[in-house]
Every structure is written in C-alpha cells, then in structure tokens.
C-alpha cells in the first residue's frame, strides 16, 4: 500500500528542511561556481531535556560535486570529516546521527531528508547527479522529526498544494500575497535588473519550481534555483508551479497542481532618504510625554538632508508642530520636592527591613527616618543570617551582597568590621573575590569600604580598586559593565554614574581620578534628552536618572544649577520625577510602565542623596556623620531576654530626624524573616544597580546583565 511506503520513507530517510530563505552560500557560491551542494544536518524539534543528545545545527556547509556524486556519499563524507557517527545510511534507512536516534523522539520520531525545501519520497541513494535528481546548487538537509514530519511542515496525507509564503529579493507584491490568489504584480525599484525567488510550500510533500515567462515543467533544466538571480525587465513574468504531475513528490493523493504568476514592473525613482524622514515624522503620531525620542530621531534625520532634499519633505511642518507641542508639554514638571518625597517614602515600606532588603534600610537611615527599633530589627536579622552561614562571606560568588550589608549596618550605626565577631569588610579586601563581579564588584567594594573609612588589608588595596575602575573607562569617557566581559556596546549612563559615586572621595586629591571624572561628566551630559532623562542600553529609564542625580550630589555638583545637566529647563531631578506615580508613591522603570519595587527604592535613594545635598549633610555613601558601635556577644541570653539584650547593645544613630517618628509595622513572626514577595536586593540586584529591568521585561535582557550580583 503506497501510504505505508510513504510513512516508512518519512520515518527513516527524512527530509531536508533548509533554514527557510535565510541560509548563506559559501565563498565559492558567491564567486559564481555552482558545482557544489549544500549539506545540512539539524535538530530543531527534540530538546536535550526530552532526550536528544544534541540540538541545533550539527553541519551546514557546501561541498564540491562531480558527475559521479551521490547524496549518500556527500552525507557520509561530511560526517567522516567531522568524526560524527551515523547508522542506517548503507540501507537507506537512517536511524541515528551522532547519537540522536529515531527512537529518541518516540514512536513517531525519525530522520527526514529534504531537497530544496521539499520532503523527499525516495531513499538517499536515489539522489545522484547522474540521475538528474541532484544538481549543483541543491540543498540536502537531514532534519529530525518527532511527528512523522508534521513538525517540519509535512503532511503525507494532505493535498494542499498552495504556497504559504513567497519571498523576493526586491520589490513589492500587490495585492498582498494570499495562498488562494494566483495572479500578482511585482513592482521593483528602478534599476533592479534581477531578482531571486524563494517559495515556501504549505505542505512540503510537494515541490515548488520557479520559471520565467514560460511555464515548462517537463523541461528539467528550465527552472531557477532559489539562489539564482533571474534577469528581469518590465513585462516579464515570474511563474511558480507546485505539484506538477511529472515531478517527484512525496504524496500521491491526486492533488491539483497550483501555478502562481508575478508580473514584473518598475516603480518610478524616489528619494529614499526623503521618504525615510517622512516615515520618521509620521511615526511621531500624537505628541505625548513619551514622544521625545521619536521627535529627536526625526529632527536629526531631517537636519542630515541637503537643503534641496528638505524642500521635498512633504510633512516637515508636522515635525515643527510636534516639537512645539512637546516643548510645552515637558514644561509641566512635577512640583514634588525632595523633602516631600522623604515624607512619602515610609509609605512604600511594607514592614521593618530585614537582611536582604539593605537598600530600604539604607534609604530610611539616610533620609533620617529610621527609628532605633527599625535598626535593631535589621541588625538582628543580619546577626541571624551570619549565625546560619557561619562565615563573614555571605555569598561565595557575589561580593555585592557583603557590600550592601556593610553599607546598611554602617547606616544603622553598627561597626561592620566587628559585628558579633564577624568582620564583614574582610571579604571586600579579597581582590579575587571582589573581581568575580568585575567592574561592578570593584565599584561597590570601594563604596562600602569608604562609607566609614574601613581599614583595608594593606595601604595599596584602595589604590588597586581605583586602578581597576580607571582602566575600565571607555574612550567615550563613560563606563559599562560590558567592559569586563569584552562586549563593546559603548558606555551607558547608569554604570558611569555609579562609578562616579565610588570615585567622588578621590576626585580632589588624585589627578587621574579628576581627569576621568571630567570626561565622564561630559559623557553623561551628552546622554540626556530634552527632558533631562538619561540614556542606558537603548532606553531612557528611571534608574539611570537616579544614578546620575546621586553621582552629581556625591561630587558636590548642584543638579539644579549646573547647565551641563539642565536640558530645555529640565534637571536630572525633574527627569527622575517623570517616572513617579502619584497614586502609590512609587516609580516605574519606563514612563509608560507600572510601578516596580526596584525602580522605586533606587529613585528614593537618589532623592535621599539630593535631600542631604540640599541640607548640607554628608553624601549618601559618606557615613562619617554616624558614630559606630562594635557589636559583641553577651553572655548567652535565654529566649525571653534575647530581645532586650539586643536592644541594650544596639547603637543609636547620631543623625537627628526632623520629622515625627515613622510607624512601620513590626514583623508578626518571632523570628526575623524576609517576606516571600521581597526582592533580595543584595543577592539578586547588586546594591542599587539597574535591576529594575529584571522586573519589567525579559525582552529587555540586555539591561539585566548589567548589575547582576
């Protein structure tokens, strides 16, 4: 029975699924030599988790052929050259390629062969140059299937012979392509004298062939390969036939042949640069607070045109109108001050901060809002974490965990170098440990050690950290975390501003630092848009503005007065406030996104830095205004006396709050624990780096790698 034979062929010999319309030719192909065949071996259907020895593309290369070449020989030669294994080719029944066997995918699993996007109907031996079934320029692909080819676009019992898609190397098809319509106009750009065609059949049981002007399916040499450039001029017609009765096919259900025609014409000459600018202006649409980048892009493109081209831009007035509307819109800045943000911050804290929520604790302290009870509660949670860990090194791979805890303890008035017998600063003196996190680790180790001038292992350790940081500066004057990984994406405002916070204590006494800081400030100024927002990794976001605001305050630069950082009347503080949500006192990563926790605590950290700057206090990370107390174990208290013993030993910060004491609910548990919905700041986001992207979108992965701790 023919159906049974077809299934056997599908399961054992299998099909060539060329990567549709995207594969690259070898150098020989590009220079005109067509005496080659492309061999591809791939598995895109069975994952390693489900039993596959390998996934993806095992082989993809062009090999030379002559009149005696066979697909089997080419297949075996390529495997042998790579020292890959196979079973079954000698019997035209391929059961295994390099450890991936038919049975791995279950009862319907197996290897299939495709010839130029068509699932073949014969064994591998049938495809030879001498028989005419294999020709130079063909692609033979061995693809793994878990479902008798259905997952490769093959239906052995179906009779649909339509095209699912057709791709031309140039031109526009009209009307829009539809599988059940067979006559089209193909309009090519002026000067186009050839075109390639790549048809994709809905059911790969059937072959598709391409002709020009005359449909001659009986002539085996008249069709064009998908890589061949077809010479065309006005009046020519490209013809695509599917499932002609005289062709090889892998389905014998008497399916009707389909023939599509594309009539060639050329469009009049257009100025593509003018056209592109018009499209950018149209893309602005209704002007909103989020239109700045689109307007700026359109303006830059318009200004790059010649005067003659600018006269041809039909919607130039729309660009001017959009600029006027946007300028008026962004003048409507929020009037909420840093002091008012300070008063609102406590409302965003769900309960007393504990170990894992260092930046809530630091923000409360640096705002002057933390009560003694809050500090005691946090310190006790750190003490319990240390007892469980049994080491001053809180994470084996992320030094930023220690850096965050050192900073938080210091903010609470506890000496992090002598905290119940643990020196939490000691791991930050280990160069190898700190540099596991590259530039990020060096920056935050230096910040933490400098919070209260903690001692280092030797006199040159701080200098070595400074050297690591300065050597990572890019030629554009900024920094990026990718400097450490060897990826050259250019600097970003976020990382640059964080580096400046670490360099701030050294800027007046170290000439190299002073020079680096000047260059970085120039870079940061150039990253702002006309709303004052700062650009990092392809976006204007809240955290970047917050980091720049904190850096300026650390350097003693007044963000409201320095013209370098005021754009169109908007300061960096104004820019940060464009992400503020009045409804819940939170901040969002992007202007048009929802409030998220990471963006919120980072923005409030910057607000605390600005508040302290305005009130003449030490900077956010300079905690020398706080008197530190060493914490030591007392005689073993019983459970009932533990809380009071802790209270007696805890320091009271010398920083005085000028607002009433903030009420934050105590944990209802007798043991200190991190709420399940809290993000562990020191563990999964390095200090207050741009971790907000992790919450906003997995599609924004390029940002999430920046400050991973």
């Amino acid at each position: 029975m023919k159906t049974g034979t077809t299934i056997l062929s599908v399961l054992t010999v299998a099909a060539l699924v060329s990567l549709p319309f995207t594969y690259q030719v070898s150098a020989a192909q590009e220079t005109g030599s067509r005496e080659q065949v492309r061999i591809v071996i791939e598995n895109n259907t069975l994952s390693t988790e489900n039993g596959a020895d390998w996934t993806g593309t095992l082989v993809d290369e062009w090999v030379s052929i002559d009149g005696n070449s066979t697909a089997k020989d080419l297949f075996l030669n390529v495997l042998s050259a790579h020292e890959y294994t196979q079973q079954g080719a000698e019997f035209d029944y391929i059961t295994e390629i390099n450890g991936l066997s038919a049975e791995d995918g279950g009862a319907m699993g197996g290897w299939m062969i495709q010839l130029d996007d068509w699932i073949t109907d014969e064994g591998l031996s049938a495809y030879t140059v001498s028989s005419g079934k294999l020709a130079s320029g063909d692609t033979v692909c061995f693809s793994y299937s878990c479902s008798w080819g259905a997952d490769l676009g093959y239906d052995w019992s179906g009779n649909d012979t339509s095209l699912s898609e057709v791709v031309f190397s140039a031109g526009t098809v009209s009307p829009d392509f539809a599988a059940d319509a067979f006559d089209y106009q193909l309009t090519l750009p002026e000067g186009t004298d050839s075109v390639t065609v790549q048809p994709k059949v809905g059911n790969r049981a059937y072959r598709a062939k391409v002709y020009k002007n005359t449909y001659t399916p009986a002539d085996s040499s008249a069709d064009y390969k998908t890589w061949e450039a077809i010479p065309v001029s006005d009046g020519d017609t490209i013809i695509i036939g599917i499932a002609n009765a005289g062709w090889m096919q892998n389905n014998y259900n008497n399916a009707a042949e389909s023939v599509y025609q594309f009539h060639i014409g050329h469009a009049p000459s257009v100025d593509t640069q003018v056209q592109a600018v018009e499209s950018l202006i149209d893309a602005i649409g209704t002007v909103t607070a989020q239109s700045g980048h689109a307007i700026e892009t359109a303006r830059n493109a318009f200004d790059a045109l010649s005067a003659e081209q600018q006269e041809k831009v039909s919607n130039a007035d729309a660009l001017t109108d959009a600029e006027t509307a946007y300028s008026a819109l962004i003048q409507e800045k929020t009037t909420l001050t840093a002091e008012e943000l300070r008063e609102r911050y406590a409302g965003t804290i769900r309960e007393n901060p504990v170990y894992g929520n260092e930046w809530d604790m630091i923000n409360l302290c640096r705002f002057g809002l933390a009560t003694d009870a809050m500090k005691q509660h946090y310190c006790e949670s750190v003490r319990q974490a240390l007892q469980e860990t049994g080491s001053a090194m809180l994470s084996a791979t992320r030094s930023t965990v220690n850096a965050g805890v050192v900073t938080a303890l210091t903010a609470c008035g506890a000496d992090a170098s002598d905290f119940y017998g643990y020196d939490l600063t000691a791991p930050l003196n280990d160069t190898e440990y700190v540099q596991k996190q590259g530039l990020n680790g060096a920056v935050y180790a230096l910040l933490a050690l400098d919070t209260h001038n903690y001692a280092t292992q030797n006199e040159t350790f701080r200098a070595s950290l400074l050297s690591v940081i300065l050597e990572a500066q890019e030629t554009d004057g900024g920094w990026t975390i990718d400097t450490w990984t060897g990826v050259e994406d250019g600097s970003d405002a976020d990382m640059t501003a964080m580096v400046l916070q670490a360099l701030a204590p050294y800027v007046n006494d170290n000439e190299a630092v002073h020079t680096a800081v000047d260059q970085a400030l120039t870079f940061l100024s150039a990253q702002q848009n006309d709303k004052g927002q700062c650009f990092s990794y392809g976006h204007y976001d809240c955290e970047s503005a917050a980091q720049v605001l904190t850096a300026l305050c650390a350097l003693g630069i007044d963000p409201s007065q320095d013209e370098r950082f005021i754009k169109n009347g908007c300061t960096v503080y104004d820019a940060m406030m464009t992400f503020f949500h009045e409804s819940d006192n939170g901040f969002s990563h992007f202007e048009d996104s929802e409030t998220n926790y990471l963006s919120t605590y980072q923005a409030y950290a910057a607000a605390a830095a600005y508040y302290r700057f305005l009130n003449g206090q030490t900077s956010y990370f300079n905690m020398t205004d706080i008197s530190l107390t060493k914490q030591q174990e007392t005689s073993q208290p019983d459970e009932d006396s533990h809380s009071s013993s802790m209270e007696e030993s805890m320091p009271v910060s010398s920083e005085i709050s000028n607002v009433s004491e903030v009420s934050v609910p105590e944990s209802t548990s007798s043991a200190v624990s991190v709420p399940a919905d809290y993000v562990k700041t020191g563990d999964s986001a390095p200090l207050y780096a741009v971790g907000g992207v992790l919450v906003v979108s997995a599609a924004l992965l390029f940002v999430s790698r920046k400050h991973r701790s």
Side-chain angles (χ1 to χ4, degrees), residues 182-259:
F182 300 92
D183 201 73
Y184 298 90
Q185 181 74 25
L186 176 63
T187 303
L188 299 174
E190 186 175 24
T192 304
D193 58 5
S194 66
V195 65
T196 60
V197 187
Q198 295 172 325
K200 183 177 181 180
V201 181
N203 182 358
R204 290 183 176 177
Y206 301 105
R207 296 198 76 170
K209 294 189 178 184
V210 179
Y211 301 83
K212 186 178 82 170
N213 294 334
T214 305
Y215 184 46
T216 53
D219 184 351
S220 61
S221 63
D223 61 301
Y224 288 85
K225 300 291 184 182
T226 58
W227 48 260
E228 284 188 277
I230 306 172
V232 291
S233 58
D234 288 350
D236 285 338
T237 299
I238 300 295
I239 304 168
I240 302 175
I242 301 98
N244 182 270
W247 298 340
M248 294 183 292
Q249 54 187 306
N250 201 351
N251 187 308
Y252 294 87
N253 293 336
N254 298 317
E257 179 181 27
S258 294
V259 180

Side-chain angles (χ1 to χ4, degrees), residues 493-631:
D494 191 295
M495 191 66 205
T496 300
M498 287 190 289
V499 168
L500 291 187
Q501 294 164 41
L503 296 181
Y506 306 92
V507 69
N508 293 325
D509 301 320
N510 186 310
E511 184 176 350
V513 170
H514 192 284
T515 299
V517 169
D518 282 346
Q519 294 171 347
L521 290 172
T522 300
F523 167 79
L524 287 178
S525 177
Q527 303 311 301
Q528 290 180 277
N529 61 14
D530 50 10
K531 295 171 72 174
Q533 296 171 338
C534 302
F535 190 76
S536 293
Y537 279 81
H539 301 278
Y540 293 97
D541 58 61
C542 175
E543 294 88 333
S544 295
Q547 299 296 339
V548 173
L549 177 60
T550 305
L552 294 180
C553 293
L555 291 166
I557 297 173
D558 190 338
S560 68
Q561 299 297 320
D562 195 306
E563 292 298 326
R564 292 174 296 178
F565 297 96
I566 301 175
K567 303 298 166 67
N568 200 27
C570 299
T571 68
V572 178
Y573 180 81
D574 296 327
M576 187 181 77
M577 293 306 296
T578 62
F579 303 93
F580 181 69
H581 289 220
E582 184 77 32
S583 60
D584 59 6
N585 294 321
F587 287 79
S588 58
H589 182 63
F590 298 128
E591 279 192 80
D592 54 354
S593 60
E594 297 178 354
T595 293
N596 75 65
Y597 174 64
L598 296 175
S599 298
T600 295
Y601 75 68
Q602 293 183 46
Y604 276 111
Y610 191 37
Y611 171 81
R612 296 183 66 82
F613 176 86
L614 293 173
N615 286 278
Q617 297 172 302
T618 59
S619 66
Y620 187 85
F621 283 104
N622 180 356
M623 300 180 184
T624 55
D625 56 312
I626 301 172
S627 298
L628 300 187
T629 302
K630 300 182 186 297
Q631 303 304 303

Side-chain angles (χ1 to χ4, degrees), residues 627-642:
S627 298
L628 300 187
T629 302
K630 300 182 186 297
Q631 303 304 303
Q632 298 177 349
E633 294 287 357
T634 61
S635 58
Q636 295 296 326
D638 58 32
E639 187 173 344
D640 292 336
S641 65
H642 187 234

Side-chain angles (χ1 to χ4, degrees), residues 86-316:
Q86 68 82 31
Q87 293 181 18
E90 59 273 24
F91 305 110
D92 276 0
Y93 189 93
I94 298 175
T95 58
E96 175 264 326
I97 298 179
N98 207 42
L100 179 55
S101 65
E103 63 187 20
D104 292 339
M108 301 171 69
W111 285 98
M112 304 188 73
I113 303 173
Q114 292 179 75
L115 179 65
D116 291 340
D117 206 40
W118 165 66
I119 305 285
T120 61
D121 68 332
E122 297 179 274
L124 186 58
S125 296
Y127 298 95
T128 67
V129 174
S130 60
S131 70
K133 295 181 180 180
L134 181 68
S136 186
D138 284 340
T139 297
V140 182
C141 181
F142 302 78
S143 296
Y144 193 82
S145 171
C146 297
S147 55
W148 291 353
D151 47 7
L152 302 177
Y154 168 76
D155 180 4
W156 62 270
S157 63
N159 57 9
D160 177 13
T161 61
S162 65
L163 287 176
S164 63
E165 182 182 10
V166 59
V167 177
F168 292 91
S169 58
T172 304
V173 172
S174 60
D176 291 340
F177 180 76
D180 57 355
F182 300 92
D183 201 73
Y184 298 90
Q185 181 74 25
L186 176 63
T187 303
L188 299 174
E190 186 175 24
T192 304
D193 58 5
S194 66
V195 65
T196 60
V197 187
Q198 295 172 325
K200 183 177 181 180
V201 181
N203 182 358
R204 290 183 176 177
Y206 301 105
R207 296 198 76 170
K209 294 189 178 184
V210 179
Y211 301 83
K212 186 178 82 170
N213 294 334
T214 305
Y215 184 46
T216 53
D219 184 351
S220 61
S221 63
D223 61 301
Y224 288 85
K225 300 291 184 182
T226 58
W227 48 260
E228 284 188 277
I230 306 172
V232 291
S233 58
D234 288 350
D236 285 338
T237 299
I238 300 295
I239 304 168
I240 302 175
I242 301 98
N244 182 270
W247 298 340
M248 294 183 292
Q249 54 187 306
N250 201 351
N251 187 308
Y252 294 87
N253 293 336
N254 298 317
E257 179 181 27
S258 294
V259 180
Y260 294 81
Q261 297 189 74
F262 299 84
H263 307 289
I264 304 296
H266 283 80
S269 178
V270 296
D271 190 324
T272 56
Q273 290 180 311
V274 170
Q275 201 173 56
V277 171
E278 290 175 336
S279 297
L280 289 173
I281 295 173
D282 287 339
I284 295 172
T286 302
V287 176
T288 68
Q290 288 75 47
S291 299
H293 184 62
I295 293 172
E296 182 181 8
T297 301
R299 169 53 66 186
N300 290 340
F302 179 86
D303 290 344
L305 297 176
S306 67
E308 182 180 356
Q309 288 175 310
Q310 290 178 355
E311 290 293 330
K312 296 178 182 179
V313 177
S314 61
N315 54 356

Side-chain angles (χ1 to χ4, degrees), residues 648-679:
E648 290 172 2
S649 65
M650 276 306 300
V652 177
S653 172
S654 62
E655 185 170 330
I656 305 299
S657 168
N658 63 4
V659 297
S660 59
E661 186 172 278
V662 179
S663 175
V664 178
E666 296 285 347
S667 172
T668 56
S669 171
S670 59
V672 179
S673 61
V674 179
D677 59 346
Y678 256 55
V679 176

